[in-house]
Amino acid sequence: MIKTVAIIGDRFMLPRLFEQALREACGEDLSIRSLEQAWPDQPMEHGYAKAGMDGLKEYMGEPDDIVAFIGDAPILVTHLAPLSAAMMDRLPALKLVVVSRGGPVNIDIGGARERGIKVVNTPGRNASAVAEFAIGAILAQTRMITRGHDALRRGDWRGDLYRADITGEELSEMTVGVVGYGHIGTRVVRILKAFGCRILVCDPYVQLSVEDLRDGVEQVSLDRILAQSDVVTLHPRVTEETKGMIGAAQFAAMKPGAFFVNTARGPLVDYQALYDALVSSHLRGAAIETFAVEPVPPDWPLLQLQNVTLTPHIAGASVKTVKIAARTAAQEVRRYLSGEPLLNLC
């Protein structure tokens, strides 16, 4: 029996790669229709601004247009398309939604469960990309790469960055604190080992691997990470427990002259408190990849500081991320069609 799959991708998660992965995993007995959204060339919706979209954030597409495109398809594979409870009521044939991201925040999971619609995601799809990026962000700050780059852009040759009292330390002499030991945090630790630094890990819900213990990685409290680390890098998910977990008290508890890196999520951090810690020179620098509001307002104070590396939420942007997500999504569709248990049921 031919099954219909509606694919709603974008200019990052390309629909053609979804379709290719589906054909390879499920064969040709699929009727596939595809829609390409304009993200990231056009911004997605953030927050809970629109009526009828309760509980959804970080999505793209008008509800009527999305419902019309999905139509009678029992399977939806998407990246950013929204699916509210009201939209589900207009899609009686829909049985499976595959979301190619770690957190399916564009889907009303409770509404889907109530209506018997299965929702799966692709956890860890960008773990390798974000881990590499985090290491780059750490080096950009600790080795003055950003400061040298910005100065040359202004026509200023910062030879003084070679002074012993200004130049950066090597990671081999530093203690790096990794907060969050999931898909990304574990990869960050794996890469950091090659630099020879002391590594501290804080995550109350996981245990270090035997390999990490053998290599001298230490599992400690957040307080100890803050007190002892020369670099603190964040990698937890956003939950009620972790929202605002790094604020004024935590920055005050960090070592004077330490660096702070956030390639995780904006709601984890009080950015006004970070600004204060940087302006006061309590912290030597920071690398910020995610923000409380995106896009960042052009008059945002942190944009004006010279001791900050800023990037527009691109840590997970790699072709490998796309390929992993497409393959993972396709395998979930194959399992569903074959009657096998779904691996990443939300």
Side-chain angles (χ1 to χ4, degrees), residues 270-319:
D270 179 339
Y271 282 108
Q272 180 59 52
L274 174 60
Y275 176 84
D276 294 340
L278 291 164
V279 168
S280 69
S281 297
H282 176 66
L283 296 185
R284 192 174 188 188
I288 307 300
E289 152 70 1
T290 60
F291 308 89
V293 176
E294 297 178 358
V296 176
D299 60 349
W300 198 47
L302 273 169
L303 296 180
Q304 313 307 317
L305 299 183
Q306 294 185 14
N307 57 343
V308 180
T309 301
L310 299 159
T311 49
H313 204 154
I314 56 172
S318 76
V319 175

Side-chain angles (χ1 to χ4, degrees), residues 230-273:
D230 301 293
V231 179
V232 174
T233 177
L234 294 191
H235 303 287
R237 287 190 176 278
V238 175
T239 65
E240 289 304 314
E241 182 181 7
T242 61
K243 283 180 182 176
M245 67 181 296
I246 305 295
Q250 288 72 36
F251 288 124
M254 288 178 64
K255 289 176 63 174
F259 297 90
F260 176 76
V261 177
N262 183 15
T263 57
R265 288 288 175 165
L268 300 170
V269 179
D270 179 339
Y271 282 108
Q272 180 59 52

Side-chain angles (χ1 to χ4, degrees), residues 167-183:
T167 194
E169 298 285 349
E170 294 183 25
L171 279 178
S172 62
E173 295 186 314
M174 292 186 174
T175 296
V176 180
V178 179
V179 182
Y181 193 66
H183 291 289

Side-chain angles (χ1 to χ4, degrees), residues 12-306:
F12 175 57
M13 289 302 310
L14 299 171
R16 63 178 174 81
L17 293 184
F18 275 132
E19 180 169 354
Q20 178 182 329
L22 284 166
R23 297 291 186 197
E24 291 175 355
C26 306
E28 296 299 319
D29 292 336
L30 292 176
S31 174
I32 297 177
R33 54 175 174 263
S34 297
L35 174 68
E36 183 177 290
Q37 296 182 311
W39 189 83
D41 295 332
Q42 296 179 16
M44 66 179 86
E45 297 279 350
H46 287 269
Y48 308 89
K50 288 194 174 180
M53 306 298 278
D54 297 340
L56 275 60
K57 62 179 180 178
E58 294 187 358
Y59 61 86
M60 185 171 213
E62 293 297 326
D64 289 347
D65 296 338
I66 299 300
V67 168
F69 178 78
I70 298 171
D72 62 354
I75 300 172
L76 169 65
V77 176
T78 188
H79 183 213
L80 296 176
L83 202 60
S84 65
M87 293 169 67
M88 295 174 198
D89 289 337
R90 300 166 61 189
L91 296 165
L94 188 62
K95 301 301 179 186
L96 174 68
V97 178
V98 183
V99 185
S100 63
R101 59 195 302 182
V105 295
N106 49 321
I107 311 296
D108 185 336
I109 300 297
R113 190 176 296 117
E114 291 172 1
R115 290 159 179 80
I117 300 172
K118 297 182 184 299
V119 179
V120 294
N121 64 338
T122 56
R125 61 166 187 156
N126 61 5
S128 175
V130 176
E132 286 187 1
F133 196 97
I135 299 300
I138 291 170
L139 291 172
Q141 274 296 307
T142 59
R143 299 305 307 277
M144 306 294 168
I145 295 171
T146 302
R147 299 188 201 192
H149 171 269
D150 289 346
L152 277 177
R153 286 283 194 184
R154 298 190 304 268
D156 181 12
W157 181 270
R158 291 274 320 261
D160 64 310
L161 293 179
Y162 223 109
R163 288 177 45 147
D165 60 339
I166 295 177
T167 194
E169 298 285 349
E170 294 183 25
L171 279 178
S172 62
E173 295 186 314
M174 292 186 174
T175 296
V176 180
V178 179
V179 182
Y181 193 66
H183 291 289
I184 297 169
T186 54
R187 283 169 170 79
V188 169
V189 168
R190 191 180 308 157
I191 300 170
L192 282 172
K193 291 177 185 179
F195 289 89
C197 53
R198 179 187 178 211
I199 303 170
L200 307 179
V201 168
C202 172
D203 192 322
Y205 300 104
V206 298
Q207 296 295 317
L208 295 182
S209 67
V210 172
E211 179 184 6
D212 285 339
L213 292 170
R214 184 194 65 210
D215 292 340
V217 179
E218 303 171 57
Q219 187 164 16
V220 300
S221 67
L222 178 60
D223 288 345
R224 193 167 156 204
I225 279 202
L226 298 173
Q228 298 185 9
S229 298
D230 301 293
V231 179
V232 174
T233 177
L234 294 191
H235 303 287
R237 287 190 176 278
V238 175
T239 65
E240 289 304 314
E241 182 181 7
T242 61
K243 283 180 182 176
M245 67 181 296
I246 305 295
Q250 288 72 36
F251 288 124
M254 288 178 64
K255 289 176 63 174
F259 297 90
F260 176 76
V261 177
N262 183 15
T263 57
R265 288 288 175 165
L268 300 170
V269 179
D270 179 339
Y271 282 108
Q272 180 59 52
L274 174 60
Y275 176 84
D276 294 340
L278 291 164
V279 168
S280 69
S281 297
H282 176 66
L283 296 185
R284 192 174 188 188
I288 307 300
E289 152 70 1
T290 60
F291 308 89
V293 176
E294 297 178 358
V296 176
D299 60 349
W300 198 47
L302 273 169
L303 296 180
Q304 313 307 317
L305 299 183
Q306 294 185 14

